[in-house]
Amino acid sequence: MAQAEIGLIGLGVMGSNLALNIAEKGNRIAVFNRTPEATRKFYAEAGALQGQIVPCETIEDFVAAIRPPRPIIIMIKAGDPVDQQMELLKPHLEANDIMIDAGNANFRDTMRRFDALKDSGLTFIGMGVSGGEEGARHGPSIMVGGKEASWKRVEPVLTSIAAKYNGVPCVAWLGENGAGHFVKTIHNGIEYADMQMIAEIYGILRDGLKMGATEIGEVFGEWNKGRLNSYLIEITETVLKAADPITGRPIVDLILDKAGQKGTGKWSVIEAQNMGVPATAIEAAVAARSISSVKSEREAAEQVLGLPNVGEFKVIDRASFLKDLESALLAAKIGAYAQGFAVMAQASREFNWNLPMPTIAKIWRAGCIIRSQFLDEITTAFTKDPNIANLIVTPAFSAMVKESDGALRRVVSAAALGGLPVPALASALGYFDSYRRARGTANVIQAQRDFFGAHGFDRIDGADAHHGPWGSGLNA
């Protein structure tokens, strides 16, 4: 019997779908799960794809079933379970075999695992996979980090299963060690911001304009035909129009307003802060999810504080305001993407990855959650200048920001005056206003710091740096 081209451990929903995708694309795959019953069930339900699948019930049989050097995808819960699975695998592997973590791993764990294997003869890949269950089954966006030789071994399989955009596979090798998982982390951070901004616009339509879910869905459907065309706008229309089969009411009206999170958004914020790169839209989105989770506290606070006493939310020209909402969302999304790419650019410098920015934008155009129309424009911008300081100063995006930030300002103002929370939209506006202002206000902060302790400060007239005579104190 011919050996499998690749192996996969972990037949949960994501692992099963990815294995079926691999098999369907003509690749022979060996599969293993710690519970043999799951392996048998998966194989029994594989139908016509059984001929491409080698089900294994022991680690020994599993490893023997794969052609050396053996690439083995580990698709299990992130964290300690991955380390434990790697330890179980190692005694059975040979030089140049490749362990591939395809979960939502912290890139620092990936770097640690990469380093731990460097003298063992084994190699490691940290592989970000975006697209959820549907993407895993029919074509995800795949972000690979590891040795280039390891990438070459798995490239034919991964290219075959990746999503395609105009025939181009949405998969790429992005650099060594944690590069792939870092890019996936920032992808998810942008996703957090995008989803929060959409939710805030929904809140304005629901609580400000008093529109019902289905009507709001129609608005998002119209927007999806234009510049906001994206997967998240598309599914927002779908969920807003979906009816509960029991009551017939919009399903979104019956869903508790508590949003969960798995950690990647928080990791994005932590790494941005560590590197000193502002990612305010992502920060606002992560904080908003945290606030959403304290439902009982919010209910108690409303009893004590009440809602803002602002009167009726008034819009003079409804059609014009809807256009403003569309443009405001576009502007805010640009801010979120610009921040995400700025974080990746700084990480590329700090970790010596040489991240290919045009390629990242290209592989996000299909298969992934944040796929959207203007990723083509991001690709073009980085192709023209891979070292641009920020997307919002490129010709295409500066024009879009200039065109739409007035609408963002009006929407944020209307929401604030109407007592409607829009933390992510407001953060995007604040980011634009701060980034575009040559003379900011940090001079007074530096003066305060100098007062606390003789730090000194740079002068705008170029004269020698001055140290305040006010004594030493707290280093702020």
Side-chain angles (χ1 to χ4, degrees):
M1 180 182 294
Q3 287 184 298
E5 195 60 28
I6 196 166
L8 183 142
I9 295 175
L11 292 171
V13 174
M14 285 292 290
S16 294
N17 281 328
L18 196 63
L20 292 172
N21 186 2
I22 291 170
E24 188 174 59
K25 300 305 188 299
N27 308 288
R28 191 164 177 77
I29 180 171
V31 296
F32 173 80
N33 198 78
R34 63 183 180 85
T35 54
E37 294 79 11
T39 305
R40 295 176 199 136
K41 182 174 184 292
F42 169 78
Y43 184 71
E45 294 176 353
L49 296 176
Q50 285 182 347
Q52 294 295 111
I53 298 169
V54 183
C56 304
E57 297 191 4
T58 68
I59 285 285
E60 294 82 357
D61 288 346
F62 172 71
V63 171
I66 307 166
R67 177 178 74 81
R70 303 172 181 87
I72 297 173
I73 297 173
I74 301 171
M75 189 62 106
I76 61 179
K77 185 178 179 181
D80 289 342
V82 174
D83 291 312
Q84 294 165 14
Q85 184 63 69
M86 289 175 64
E87 288 302 313
L88 291 172
L89 265 175
K90 280 162 62 175
H92 305 283
L93 300 181
E94 299 173 348
N96 299 317
D97 285 351
I98 310 161
M99 288 185 276
I100 305 169
D101 180 4
N104 267 338
N106 187 314
F107 86 103
R108 293 190 179 274
D109 285 340
T110 303
M111 294 175 76
R112 170 179 57 79
R113 290 164 183 151
F114 193 90
D115 287 343
L117 292 174
K118 66 182 179 182
D119 298 322
S120 69
L122 304 176
T123 59
F124 190 74
I125 283 177
M127 186 171 86
V129 179
S130 179
E133 299 170 19
E134 182 73 11
R137 179 64 184 87
H138 299 292
S141 174
I142 305 174
M143 295 143 267
V144 178
K147 293 289 187 185
E148 189 172 11
S150 302
W151 155 245
K152 291 298 184 184
R153 171 66 179 88
V154 297
E155 182 179 7
V157 173
L158 298 184
T159 300
S160 72
I161 68 169
K164 307 296 189 295
Y165 182 84
N166 292 336
V168 178
C170 292
V171 56
W173 174 65
L174 302 177
E176 295 209 350
N177 51 62
H181 273 146
F182 185 87
V183 171
K184 176 57 163 57
T185 294
I186 300 304
H187 164 284
N188 285 22
I190 295 171
E191 178 185 322
Y192 271 55
D194 205 341
M195 293 172 73
Q196 176 63 27
M197 291 165 177
I198 290 171
E200 290 171 14
I201 295 292
Y202 158 77
I204 294 173
L205 293 167
R206 183 192 69 184
D207 301 327
L209 297 187
K210 307 301 181 184
M211 294 170 63
T214 302
E215 188 181 6
I216 299 173
E218 295 288 349
V219 171
F220 278 99
E222 284 301 311
W223 290 349
N224 196 46
K225 298 174 184 177
R227 296 180 301 175
L228 286 175
N229 175 258
S230 65
Y231 174 69
L232 283 172
I233 296 293
E234 176 187 332
I235 66 168
T236 300
E237 176 191 8
T238 300
V239 299
L240 286 169
K241 290 182 176 180
D244 173 44
I246 298 174
T247 65
R249 293 173 57 193
I251 191 69
V252 72
D253 291 346
L254 303 175
I255 297 175
L256 192 63
D257 58 326
K258 292 172 63 175
Q261 51 184 316
K262 296 181 179 179
T264 47
K266 178 178 70 176
W267 297 341
S268 298
V269 172
I270 290 170
E271 297 306 330
Q273 291 283 6
N274 283 341
M275 292 183 287
V277 181
T280 56
I282 300 172
E283 292 171 14
V286 172
R289 289 203 191 187
S290 297
I291 291 176
S292 82
S293 70
V294 291
K295 173 73 171 175
S296 59
E297 291 182 37
R298 289 188 286 116
E299 290 174 335
E302 184 173 335
Q303 291 299 313
V304 174
L305 300 171
L307 295 176
N309 185 20
V310 294
E312 185 181 355
F313 186 89
K314 295 181 180 179
V315 171
I316 298 173
D317 185 337
R318 184 184 176 96
S320 179
F321 187 67
L322 287 175
K323 289 181 179 178
D324 268 358
L325 289 174
E326 180 182 13
S327 293
L329 184 52
L330 175 68
K333 282 162 69 79
I334 290 171
Y337 278 78
Q339 291 172 16
F341 273 89
V343 173
M344 289 189 291
Q346 182 60 29
S348 184
R349 290 186 286 269
E350 291 205 9
F351 297 107
N352 297 314
W353 283 333
N354 194 27
L355 292 177
M357 296 301 176
T359 299
I360 292 170
K362 285 179 181 178
I363 65 174
W364 284 355
R365 293 181 299 179
C368 76
I369 302 299
I370 63 171
R371 57 187 184 265
S372 62
Q373 187 182 74
F374 63 62
L375 279 165
D376 267 336
E377 290 162 307
I378 294 177
T379 300
T380 300
F382 277 114
T383 299
K384 289 180 178 177
D385 183 1
N387 299 310
I388 52 178
N390 193 296
L391 273 174
I392 62 174
V393 297
T394 63
F397 284 93
S398 63
M400 283 191 277
V401 170
K402 289 176 183 177
E403 177 191 349
S404 59
D405 78 332
L408 178 60
R409 193 175 308 280
R410 290 189 292 274
V411 166
V412 170
S413 298
L417 291 172
L420 301 176
V422 287
L425 295 174
S427 76
L429 180 60
Y431 178 73
F432 291 143
D433 285 348
S434 298
Y435 194 80
R436 76 198 303 172
R437 188 167 294 273
R439 176 68 169 162
T441 56
N443 52 311
V444 74
I445 296 172
Q446 281 300 92
Q448 291 166 338
R449 294 180 75 236
D450 196 48
F451 184 88
F452 292 151
H455 301 287
F457 49 80
D458 296 324
R459 295 170 57 103
I460 61 174
D461 58 8
D464 290 341
H466 177 73
H467 290 271
W470 305 298
S472 61
L474 174 66
N475 183 346

